[in-house]
Amino acid sequence: MTQFEDLSEGNISQRAGKERIMEILVFLLSEIRSNKKLLDIDLKPLSQRGFSQTEISTAFSWLFDRIALDGSPIVLPEISNSGRDSSDRSTSPFRVYHEAERSVLTVAAQGYLLQLQELGLITAGDMEAIIDRVMAAGVPTVSLSEIKELVGIMVFDFDDSNRMGSRLMLGVSDRVQ
């Protein structure tokens, strides 16, 4: 049992679903960053890795909704024709983990957070909030799976209920009547 989880059956299923959607989002944004259009992305690797069409559609749906929201943290840097990021790296923020953070976060967890920030799934502020939460928990070590859990909670916690036609991510045990 991790320090951050609620072991009720519904929460485990919902959390696992969020982590799977997050993996799909990382894949999609990585493809976009490599200068591919959404329609040009080959989804076969996702199907081969065991993701269902529903999970893939949910990720696309979330991505479209998040981009449609004002103030969306998903801001992809402009990609030049050479395929390189055209933003000036010298003025881009760069996160260096403090020694205490490195002692608590596994290397994989550190890399995952940096990857999500680079892809635009989390902002620098989101990253700080996640790290603050981890450090405040007072746990000796936080693994990649625990960081994925925290990130899933943060990334999928946005209010779009006021938007007409907005989508809602349902849990595995939720029913539509």
Side-chain angles (χ1 to χ4, degrees):
M1 176 163 89
T2 68
Q3 287 78 9
F4 306 104
E5 66 185 320
D6 172 5
L7 292 178
S8 64
E9 186 175 322
N11 267 344
I12 290 172
S13 297
Q14 188 174 21
R15 192 173 52 253
K18 286 180 181 178
E19 287 178 19
R20 290 178 60 82
I21 301 303
M22 196 65 164
E23 285 184 51
I24 297 168
L25 287 170
V26 168
F27 173 83
L28 292 175
L29 290 172
S30 295
E31 291 292 295
I32 291 169
R33 287 289 305 260
S34 67
N35 215 14
K36 290 186 182 174
K37 295 178 183 175
L38 282 178
L39 293 175
D40 295 337
I41 296 174
D42 182 11
L43 301 177
K44 289 178 188 168
L46 292 173
S47 297
Q48 290 169 346
R49 289 175 42 197
F51 293 105
S52 70
Q53 188 59 45
T54 302
E55 290 170 321
I56 295 168
S57 295
T58 300
F60 270 106
S61 199
W62 182 92
L63 186 60
F64 291 135
D65 273 356
R66 193 61 179 184
I67 290 170
L69 287 176
D70 292 335
S72 170
I74 298 177
V75 178
L76 296 173
E78 291 182 31
I79 308 284
S80 68
N81 289 337
S82 67
R84 293 193 176 271
D85 181 349
S86 64
S87 62
D88 182 6
R89 288 284 182 200
S90 63
T91 60
S92 296
F94 181 75
R95 178 65 159 85
V96 177
Y97 292 104
H98 184 275
E99 184 179 332
E101 295 167 341
R102 287 192 316 264
S103 71
V104 173
L105 294 167
T106 63
V107 172
Q110 294 172 36
Y112 185 70
L113 286 173
L114 290 172
Q115 178 186 26
L116 294 181
Q117 185 180 6
E118 180 69 22
L119 290 173
L121 277 169
I122 62 173
T123 64
D126 293 336
M127 180 185 261
E128 293 305 319
I130 292 166
I131 293 171
D132 286 348
R133 185 169 177 183
V134 165
M135 298 307 288
V139 295
T141 305
V142 177
S143 68
L144 176 60
S145 64
E146 291 167 322
I147 283 296
K148 284 182 176 183
E149 179 183 335
L150 287 172
V151 169
I153 291 167
M154 180 170 280
V155 168
F156 294 115
D157 183 30
F158 69 94
D159 183 19
D160 67 347
S161 59
N162 296 330
R163 281 190 41 243
M164 190 62 134
S166 68
R167 295 167 188 86
L168 172 69
M169 186 179 298
L170 298 175
V172 173
S173 61
D174 293 337
R175 304 243 185 259
V176 177
Q177 296 183 5

